[in-house]
């Protein structure tokens, strides 16, 4: 069986120089062949020891002689070892260069970087192995002004530049051409590994003799940056002209958008910040600034045609240049005005707008362009200001407001009233809050808070009096929103109204508790709730002067008057029966109904507890309602078929009545019907 070859022993420092060099060269060959292997580490220890033994002995011989020029003419010196190291690098790199000659383009870069990585890693081992040379001999030679003497690591960089990089470049700039070729492919949309390009550029800047050496930056500029700058400028000019000639403006924008994004990656390859800025400026000049007039012209049309993608591209591209967006600001404001007015005109047709549709349409236009300002223009203050101006304009003046300047706030107040009213399917929770917030946005732009509050206050009063608010919490939330928008002075009456009505519930509960404990109300099976409000709420329509309260309600009314006088002796109650709501239960039909009525309707129907037929004159005399109003109310009852009208103004109670009204709902076993909807 053959035996494995044994490793040669480390030569002594005074051994024959050729034996010493043979050992050192073998060690370097093994390291450079595979610097990442364990063999490299194993070789390093012997290599270092050999160099150390040689240099320490050569140095001691040199220092023992008085005349350094005659030292050891027949003995090897440190300079001999240094010269051998120089030649080693020259020979090693010559082989690498010869192997690179057939290569070009991406293949050349892969080869160059692979060999550079292996070389630079192997040099680390060699540099440490030759530290004794650097310690004993190189400092002395440096002091003697020998400028071409370097430590091993620096020497390796010098030799790579002179014997690998420059020879490749002397052959038609092969290295630079390979890098620019990949960048050109990337610009043409070919799948390209820009990391390879970046590594090649980094390899240029890594050829440094020492930490303070700027030669590497000069190499980078000479062999990449200067050529890249020229090629890039030529590309920008030719490509921008070709794109504009071959495409419409939207098509040009689409291509330029992609090019600008790609160029950010290309420009980032440059190490010099000033060069990056210069290239970025050149890019914007050729692709944007030279064509801004055409881009400005197409903006208005894209805005009117709702071409969101084109708008986004135009603004994104122009935003890259100084003041490129400025001419678009007035165009944007006018475009939003046109869009808002057009949306309302399309909504109207020949009919008056539904309040909900009207408010939602206004908000949709606002939200669309607000999102555009936020997303595309990054909340640019000038465009945000232009949007505010446009919204104030079209929300005040549009097709719906042509006949009435207050139409916007009137429709808005009606919409808010519907949101805050109880309904069969009310909006709730976050959806309701968002709808109210949207209404506040519209109110902000209409600007007519005082007129809005007139409408809002009247509707709030009716909601509170008739107890049809969605909830007290939501009402309070809306008042707070109005306060946040316009301040306390505008909402203090609303707050007082809300507070008074809330206190009314406490008064009602207290009075009803006292009523239960009193014998004065024996046999009076009536639920009672009062709503108290001040005259400061504004002009309120008073009740009919001669209205006669039904005798069924008199004990309740008189009892509450006495209760209130004891509580507030100086206050005077004015009864607003026209705002009152009543619920009457039918006891004469097979199916029981609960009729939700006005006070005047209730006064009429309660008279039929005492007679099945009553004349117009009898009803007028017993209710105190004037004839004209009485006939209007009787029409609502006869239309519902609860009363039947005959000749000679006679009205009979329909004993066979059955409701066919849509929108009725059950309350226990009873069916509830609102006679006023």
């Amino acid at each position: 069986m053959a035996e494995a070859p044994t490793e040669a022993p480390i030569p002594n420092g005074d051994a024959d120089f050729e034996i010493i060099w043979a050992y050192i060269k073998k060690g370097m060959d093994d390291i450079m062949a595979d610097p990442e292997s364990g063999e490299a580490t194993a070789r390093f220890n012997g290599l270092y020891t050999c160099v150390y033994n040689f240099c320490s002995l050569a140095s001691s011989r040199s220092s023992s002689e008085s005349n350094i020029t005659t030292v050891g003419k027949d003995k090897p010196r440190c300079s001999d070892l240094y010269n051998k190291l120089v030649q080693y690098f020259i020979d090693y790199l010559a082989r690498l260069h010869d192997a690179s000659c057939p290569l070009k383009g991406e293949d050349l870069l892969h080869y160059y970087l692979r060999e550079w990585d292996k070389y630079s890693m192997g040099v680390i081992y060699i540099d440490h192995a030759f530290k004794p040379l650097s310690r004993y001999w190189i400092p002395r030679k440096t002091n003697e002004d020998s400028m071409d003497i370097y430590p091993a690591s620096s020497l390796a960089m010098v030799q790579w530049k002179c014997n690998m990089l420059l020879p490749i470049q002397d052959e038609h700039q092969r290295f630079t051409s390979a890098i620019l070729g990949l960048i050109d492919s990337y610009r043409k949309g070919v799948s390209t590994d820009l990391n390879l390009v970046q590594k090649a550029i980094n390899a240029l800047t890594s050829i440094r003799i020492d930490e303070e050496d700027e030669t590497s930056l000069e190499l980078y500029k000479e062999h990449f940056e200067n050529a890249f700058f020229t090629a890039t400028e030529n590309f920008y000019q030719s490509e921008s002209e070709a794109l504009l000639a071959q495409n419409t403006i939207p098509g040009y924008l689409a291509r330029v958008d992609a090019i600008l994004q790609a160029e950010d990656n290309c420009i980032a390859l440059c190490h010099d910040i000033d060069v990056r800025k210069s290239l970025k400026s050149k890019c914007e000049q050729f692709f944007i600034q030279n064509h801004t007039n055409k881009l400005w012209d197409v903006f208005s049309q894209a805005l009117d045609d709702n071409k969101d993608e084109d708008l986004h591209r135009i603004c994104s591209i122009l935003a890259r240049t100084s003041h490129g967006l400025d001419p678009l600001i007035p165009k944007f404001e006018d475009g939003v005005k046109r869009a808002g007015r057009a949306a309302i005109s399309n909504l109207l047709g020949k009919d008056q707008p539904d309040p909900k549709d009207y408010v939602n349409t206004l908000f949709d236009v606002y939200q669309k362009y607000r999102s555009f300002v936020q997303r595309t223009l990054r909340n640019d203050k000038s465009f945000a200001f232009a949007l505010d101006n446009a919204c104030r304009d079209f929300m005040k003046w549009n097709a719906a407001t042509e006949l009435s300047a207050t139409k916007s706030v009137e429709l808005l107040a009606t919409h808010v009233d519907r949101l805050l009213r109880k309904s069969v399917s009310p909006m709730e929770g976050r959806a309701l809050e968002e709808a109210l917030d949207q209404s506040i946005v519209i109110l902000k732009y209409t600007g007519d808070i005082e007129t809005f509050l007139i409408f809002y206050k009247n509707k709030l009063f009716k909601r509170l009096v008739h107890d049809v608010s969605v909830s007290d919490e939501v009402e309070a939330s809306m008042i707070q929103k109005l306060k946040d928008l316009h301040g306390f002075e505008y909402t203090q009456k609303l707050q007082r109204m809300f507070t008074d009505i809330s206190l009314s519930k406490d008064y009602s509960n207290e009075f009803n508790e006292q009523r239960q404990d009193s014998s004065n109300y024996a046999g009076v099976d009536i639920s009672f709730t009062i709503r108290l409000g001040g005259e400061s709420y504004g002009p309120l329509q008073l009740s009919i002067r001669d209205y006669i309260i039904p005798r069924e309600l008199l004990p309740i009314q008189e009892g509450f008057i006495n209760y209130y006088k004891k509580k507030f002796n100086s206050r005077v109650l004015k009864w607003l029966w026209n705002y009152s709501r009543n619920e009457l239960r039918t006891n004469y039909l097979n199916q029981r109904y609960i009729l939700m009525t006005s006070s005047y309707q209730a006064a009429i129907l309660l008279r039929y507890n005492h007679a099945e037929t009553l004349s117009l004159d009898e009803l007028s005399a017993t209710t105190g309602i004037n004839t004209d109003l009485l006939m209007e109310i009787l029409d609502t009852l006869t239309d519902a078929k609860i009363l039947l009208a005959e000749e000679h103004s006679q009205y009979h109670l329909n004993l066979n009545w059955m409701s066919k009204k849509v929108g009725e709902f059950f309350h226990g076993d009873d069916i509830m019907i609102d006679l006023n909807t």
Side-chain angles (χ1 to χ4, degrees):
M1 186 178 210
E3 295 183 358
T6 58
E7 183 178 346
I10 302 173
N12 293 326
D14 57 355
D16 184 77
F17 182 68
E18 292 304 322
I19 294 175
I20 293 174
W21 174 246
Y23 181 87
I24 293 174
K25 181 178 182 301
K26 178 65 169 62
M28 290 196 296
D29 286 342
D30 291 343
I31 289 172
M32 297 301 285
D34 190 0
E36 296 185 88
S37 70
E39 183 71 17
T41 303
R43 283 293 185 183
F44 165 75
N45 293 327
L47 189 61
Y48 176 87
T49 302
C50 184
V51 173
Y52 176 81
N53 291 341
F54 174 81
C55 290
S56 60
L57 184 60
S59 178
S60 65
R61 284 200 301 262
S62 176
S63 61
S64 67
E65 298 290 338
S66 60
N67 188 352
I68 195 169
T69 59
T70 64
V71 170
K73 291 184 178 179
D74 56 345
K75 297 290 185 181
R77 297 175 296 176
C78 290
S79 59
D80 297 322
L81 181 60
Y82 182 82
N83 292 334
K84 285 287 189 180
L85 181 61
V86 172
Q87 191 60 46
Y88 178 84
F89 284 133
I90 292 173
D91 294 341
Y92 179 87
L93 293 171
R95 293 192 299 273
L96 294 187
H97 174 258
D98 290 343
S100 76
C101 290
L103 304 176
K104 61 182 179 180
E106 190 171 346
D107 291 338
L108 173 64
L109 293 182
H110 279 297
Y111 173 80
Y112 182 96
L113 292 173
R114 183 173 64 251
E115 295 302 328
W116 165 255
D117 289 341
K118 188 166 67 170
Y119 180 81
S120 56
M121 184 174 293
V123 164
I124 294 174
Y125 284 102
I126 293 174
D127 179 58
H128 283 288
F130 276 78
K131 285 297 184 185
L133 185 66
S134 300
R135 185 182 309 121
Y136 292 115
W137 181 72
I138 290 179
R140 188 168 70 244
K141 299 302 290 183
T142 303
N143 292 335
E144 294 172 0
D145 296 327
S146 297
M147 301 304 295
D148 294 334
I149 304 299
Y150 306 99
S153 60
S154 300
L155 175 64
M157 296 298 104
V158 172
Q159 296 304 319
W160 179 276
K161 178 184 74 172
C162 296
N163 296 288
M164 184 65 173
L165 175 64
L166 296 183
I168 290 176
Q169 284 293 83
D170 288 342
E171 299 157 357
H172 309 292
Q173 298 284 306
R174 281 197 297 145
F175 185 78
T176 303
S177 298
I179 295 176
L180 296 182
L182 285 181
I183 294 174
D184 186 57
S185 297
Y186 176 75
R187 284 170 168 162
K188 292 177 179 177
V190 178
S191 179
T192 306
D193 184 5
L194 283 185
N195 286 330
L196 179 64
V197 176
Q198 188 67 69
K199 289 177 182 178
I201 296 170
N202 291 341
L204 283 176
T205 61
S206 300
I207 304 175
R208 301 174 67 90
I209 297 176
D210 55 49
E211 292 299 324
E212 299 179 358
D213 176 39
E214 296 185 358
T215 305
S216 61
L217 188 58
E218 294 173 2
L219 288 174
Y220 156 78
K221 288 180 177 293
E222 179 182 354
H223 298 292
F224 170 70
E225 189 178 273
N226 295 340
F228 175 66
F229 192 97
T230 302
T232 296
E233 188 172 15
N234 292 337
F235 168 75
Y236 290 163
Q237 183 171 4
S238 60
E239 188 69 7
S240 63
E241 293 173 355
L243 285 177
L244 201 59
Q246 297 167 5
N247 295 275
T248 61
I249 292 297
Y252 175 80
L253 289 170
R255 290 289 296 119
V256 166
D257 193 29
I259 288 173
L260 292 176
Q261 293 181 37
E263 282 306 300
D264 285 341
N265 296 329
C266 291
I267 292 172
L269 296 171
C270 291
H271 286 222
D272 192 312
I273 294 177
D274 291 334
V275 173
R276 290 184 191 178
K277 291 180 179 178
S278 180
L279 284 175
K280 188 178 180 68
S281 177
K282 289 286 184 182
C283 184
E284 292 167 354
Q285 174 190 337
F286 284 107
F287 285 106
I288 304 174
Q289 291 174 353
N290 291 351
H291 313 294
T292 48
N293 289 333
K294 294 178 181 178
L295 300 181
W296 292 335
D297 291 342
V298 81
F299 176 81
S300 295
Q301 190 61 48
L303 198 65
D304 290 341
D305 294 343
N306 292 317
K307 293 184 177 179
D308 294 338
E309 189 174 356
D310 288 351
L311 289 172
H312 178 78
R313 284 198 178 115
I314 292 171
C315 293
S316 298
I317 289 172
L318 289 174
R320 298 171 71 107
T321 64
S322 178
H323 303 294
L325 291 172
D326 290 355
L328 299 186
I329 296 172
K331 295 177 182 290
F332 174 71
E333 182 175 332
D334 292 341
V336 175
K337 291 177 184 177
R338 291 194 300 271
R341 292 197 179 95
I344 296 301
S345 296
N346 294 335
L347 174 67
L348 286 178
K350 297 181 180 180
D351 303 322
Q352 284 296 312
D354 174 77
K356 178 181 178 181
D357 293 341
Y358 180 78
V359 173
N360 286 346
T361 299
L362 292 179
F363 186 80
D364 287 346
V365 174
Y366 160 79
Q367 185 61 29
K368 173 184 176 181
Y369 292 105
R370 181 60 185 163
S371 297
F372 174 71
V373 171
Q374 289 176 327
R375 184 184 67 255
T376 302
L377 300 169
R378 299 178 182 178
N379 269 332
D380 182 272
K381 292 182 179 179
S382 297
F383 279 87
F385 185 74
L387 176 62
D388 289 342
N389 287 340
C391 288
R392 277 190 287 268
D393 186 272
F394 79 79
M395 290 188 189
K396 285 182 181 179
W397 308 107
N398 55 55
T401 64
E402 288 179 352
L403 299 178
S404 172
T406 63
K407 193 63 177 178
S408 269
V409 291
E410 182 181 356
L411 290 168
L412 178 60
T414 302
H415 172 61
V416 173
D417 179 59
R418 292 179 181 178
L419 290 174
L420 297 176
R421 278 180 174 269
K422 292 178 181 177
S423 63
V424 176
S425 56
M427 192 178 290
E428 297 177 343
R430 184 58 194 163
L432 177 57
E433 283 296 321
E434 288 178 355
L436 294 176
D437 288 339
Q438 292 172 7
S439 300
I440 291 295
V441 171
I442 304 304
L443 178 59
K444 180 182 72 172
Y445 286 117
T446 58
D448 194 356
I449 180 64
E450 294 182 358
T451 304
F452 174 81
L453 286 177
I454 292 173
F455 291 117
Y456 184 83
K457 183 172 61 176
N458 291 336
K459 294 178 185 298
L460 172 63
F461 180 76
K462 291 179 181 179
R463 287 197 303 276
L464 296 176
V465 166
H466 296 151
D467 195 23
V468 293
S469 289
V470 172
S471 72
D472 289 349
E473 291 78 10
V474 176
E475 291 286 3
S477 174
M478 184 61 188
I479 292 174
Q480 184 61 49
K481 293 179 193 296
L482 292 171
K483 185 187 298 184
D484 292 341
L485 181 63
H486 286 288
F488 175 75
E489 61 179 308
Y490 286 97
T491 57
Q492 56 181 334
K493 290 184 178 179
L494 300 180
Q495 188 64 55
R496 172 62 69 84
M497 183 188 301
F498 181 72
T499 302
D500 287 349
I501 296 298
S502 297
L503 290 173
S504 299
K505 296 177 182 179
D506 297 333
Y507 300 149
S508 297
N509 292 335
E510 186 177 9
F511 171 68
N512 285 325
E513 289 175 1
Q514 294 180 10
R515 189 159 64 91
Q516 290 177 0
D517 298 333
S518 174
S519 60
N520 295 333
Y521 302 98
V524 179
D525 184 18
I526 298 176
S527 299
F528 172 78
T529 302
I530 194 73
R531 294 288 184 267
L532 295 170
E535 289 184 321
S536 62
Y537 296 169
L540 299 173
Q541 182 180 355
L542 298 178
S543 303
I544 300 171
R545 180 182 300 177
D546 298 325
Y547 172 66
I548 299 172
I549 301 169
R551 59 188 178 185
E552 289 87 348
L553 303 181
L554 275 176
I556 300 294
Q557 184 201 26
E558 292 172 352
F560 188 80
I561 291 174
N562 292 330
Y563 160 81
Y564 197 73
K565 282 183 178 179
K566 291 178 182 178
K567 201 168 189 67
F568 304 104
N569 187 43
S570 61
R571 297 185 184 180
V572 178
L573 289 174
K574 293 182 179 180
W575 294 80
L576 303 178
W577 297 103
N578 47 316
Y579 290 99
S580 177
R581 299 278 289 174
N582 298 264
E583 294 180 2
L584 306 180
R585 179 180 286 110
T586 63
N587 295 311
Y588 61 97
L589 300 169
N590 292 331
Q591 170 65 55
R592 290 204 310 180
Y593 295 92
I594 296 177
L595 306 178
M596 292 180 283
T597 70
S598 68
S599 288
Y600 298 152
Q601 289 172 326
I604 294 170
L605 291 176
L606 287 172
R607 296 305 304 159
Y608 285 90
N609 281 331
H610 311 286
E612 294 181 3
T613 302
L614 293 167
S615 66
L616 180 64
D617 292 338
E618 289 174 318
L619 289 170
S620 178
T622 54
T623 61
I625 303 174
N626 65 70
T627 303
D628 291 338
L629 178 58
L630 180 61
M631 291 185 67
E632 290 180 14
I633 299 169
L634 285 169
D635 284 343
T636 65
L637 299 175
T638 55
D639 289 343
K641 306 299 182 183
I642 296 176
L643 298 181
L644 301 175
E646 295 187 359
E647 295 181 1
H648 310 298
S649 300
Q650 297 290 316
Y651 293 88
H652 301 282
L653 182 64
N654 184 358
L655 299 178
N656 298 311
W657 181 70
M658 181 179 295
S659 173
K660 297 181 180 179
K661 187 176 181 65
V662 177
E664 59 190 26
F665 55 96
F666 285 88
H667 180 74
D669 294 331
D670 301 338
I671 298 176
M672 298 193 72
I673 300 174
D674 190 342
L675 296 181
N676 295 292
T677 59

